[in-house]
Amino acid sequence: MRLLIRLRSRRDVAYDNTYHHKLRGRMWQALEGSEFDERHDEGRPAGLCFSNPFPPRDMVEGDKRTLLVAAPERDMLGAIADDFDENRELNIGEMPFEVTDVSMLALDVGEPGTRGVLESGTGVLIRLPPWRCEEYGIETDGENPTFWEPEHTIEPLKTQLENNLDKKHSQFCPDDLPGPTDRSNDLFDSYELIKTFAIPVTVTQGVEMTYILSKWRFGYEVQDDHHRRHLNLALDAGIGGRNMLGFGFLNIDEDSVIPAGQTAMETSGHRGQAR
């Protein structure tokens, strides 16, 4: 599930690419006093992820932007929606917005046999633990965090993505259902790296770190209902680490989706008729 939040800029302002910490703070503010407030200090996935306010460019007063907020729990999104309905000012650092509309969306990768692509718009954070570095022959000084980079090859990334999603599955899905690491097949069929980049991020008040992120296009074909659940969980909870800072937020590339039982040519034809 996710919220679609429509915003309007309240003044001329430059776009702030370091919005992560400030937007996270607004999310926790929205959850204050709710049943989810205690997750702030639990040290495990909060089950919340969000996009950047997009499109990411400088604004003049009255410009419109959109924010997406995803979570596997409808009640959590409901608490945020209620707060945004009551408190229409959304200040993300120096970017002052007015919330003009909040609506709920249900996103689904499709029934078994559906093919498509998931895009990581905000960048994925993969931190390799020391024992994994040793296992994969990756040099590390043991003091500074080791973030995934292309030179490390795809296998460590795939392992960390699935292990991370497995923890979220254990937290948000019934215990009797198999998790991502219980399947023999990979979570995704293809991994197209768009770019890697480094950005400074405020991880807590007064503490800044440089994170190395990567943007991807993940191809998939839904194998069965369990795989469908895993992919939808990735959409709801985000992939990789630091989702509560907005990293690992995924979207479906709608133009890539081929429903079960259809060919790419048939899908293209239907889209052409719709236009």
Side-chain angles (χ1 to χ4, degrees):
M1 298 295 297
R2 54 186 56 191
L3 295 177
L4 173 67
I5 303 172
R6 301 295 188 185
L7 307 172
R8 181 185 295 119
S9 178
R10 292 192 286 112
R11 64 177 173 85
D12 299 0
V13 65
Y15 192 87
D16 183 2
N17 288 301
T18 61
Y19 64 87
H20 308 86
H21 173 65
K22 298 156 189 174
L23 186 49
R24 175 182 61 179
R26 182 63 180 87
M27 295 299 168
W28 282 124
Q29 179 185 336
L31 293 170
E32 188 173 351
S34 74
E35 61 181 294
F36 306 100
D37 191 10
E38 62 188 21
R39 292 190 187 173
H40 190 285
D41 302 312
E42 285 185 344
R44 60 174 181 161
L48 189 70
C49 193
F50 47 82
S51 72
N52 58 334
F54 62 89
R57 55 175 180 259
D58 295 350
M59 291 162 276
V60 299
E61 182 179 353
D63 273 0
K64 297 178 180 179
R65 293 294 183 268
T66 301
L67 176 68
L68 294 169
V69 182
E73 296 165 296
R74 188 185 184 94
D75 288 348
M76 174 180 271
L77 292 178
I80 295 172
D82 289 345
D83 184 82
F84 280 17
D85 276 335
E86 295 175 7
N87 304 290
R88 292 281 174 162
E89 282 193 12
L90 176 60
N91 299 317
I92 308 174
E94 298 301 316
M95 296 189 294
F97 294 105
E98 174 192 2
V99 176
T100 60
D101 186 65
V102 181
S103 57
M104 194 84 75
L105 298 175
L107 213 58
D108 193 324
V109 295
E111 62 184 33
T114 302
R115 287 172 284 164
V117 172
L118 302 184
E119 297 179 318
S120 60
T122 58
V124 180
L125 177 70
I126 296 293
R127 182 171 175 170
L128 303 176
W131 60 90
R132 287 293 184 189
C133 291
E134 183 177 352
E135 177 183 336
Y136 288 108
I138 298 171
E139 293 186 8
T140 175
D141 59 16
E143 297 180 2
N144 298 309
T146 303
F147 299 109
W148 183 89
E149 297 186 66
E151 66 192 51
H152 297 146
T153 75
I154 200 70
E155 287 305 318
L157 177 125
K158 289 166 62 175
T159 298
Q160 292 306 118
L161 281 181
E162 293 188 7
N163 287 346
N164 177 274
L165 191 62
D166 208 49
K167 292 178 182 178
K168 294 165 184 169
H169 189 276
S170 298
Q171 186 171 343
F172 301 114
C173 297
D175 293 339
D176 60 333
L177 296 177
T181 59
D182 294 323
R183 300 178 68 254
S184 58
N185 295 333
D186 290 339
L187 182 65
F188 303 116
D189 289 346
S190 63
Y191 297 75
E192 180 187 350
L193 177 62
I194 306 302
K195 68 175 181 177
T196 56
F197 58 102
I199 61 170
V201 179
T202 301
V203 294
T204 189
Q205 194 64 41
V207 179
E208 185 178 278
M209 290 184 63
T210 297
Y211 284 169
I212 298 176
L213 307 171
S214 51
K215 286 191 176 185
W216 296 86
R217 284 174 57 85
F218 300 111
Y220 69 87
E221 180 174 354
V222 183
Q223 301 298 316
D224 51 36
D225 287 335
H226 295 307
H227 188 214
R228 180 182 189 177
R229 182 179 64 258
H230 302 156
L231 291 171
N232 282 332
L233 178 62
L235 282 171
D236 290 342
I239 60 172
R242 294 290 191 175
N243 304 128
M244 197 60 194
L245 281 168
F247 299 124
F249 186 85
L250 294 177
N251 273 315
I252 299 176
D253 176 3
E254 294 184 0
D255 289 337
S256 73
V257 176
I258 303 175
Q262 290 189 20
T263 66
M265 184 174 295
E266 289 172 330
T267 304
S268 176
H270 288 314
R271 289 188 183 126
Q273 293 168 16
R275 291 193 182 99

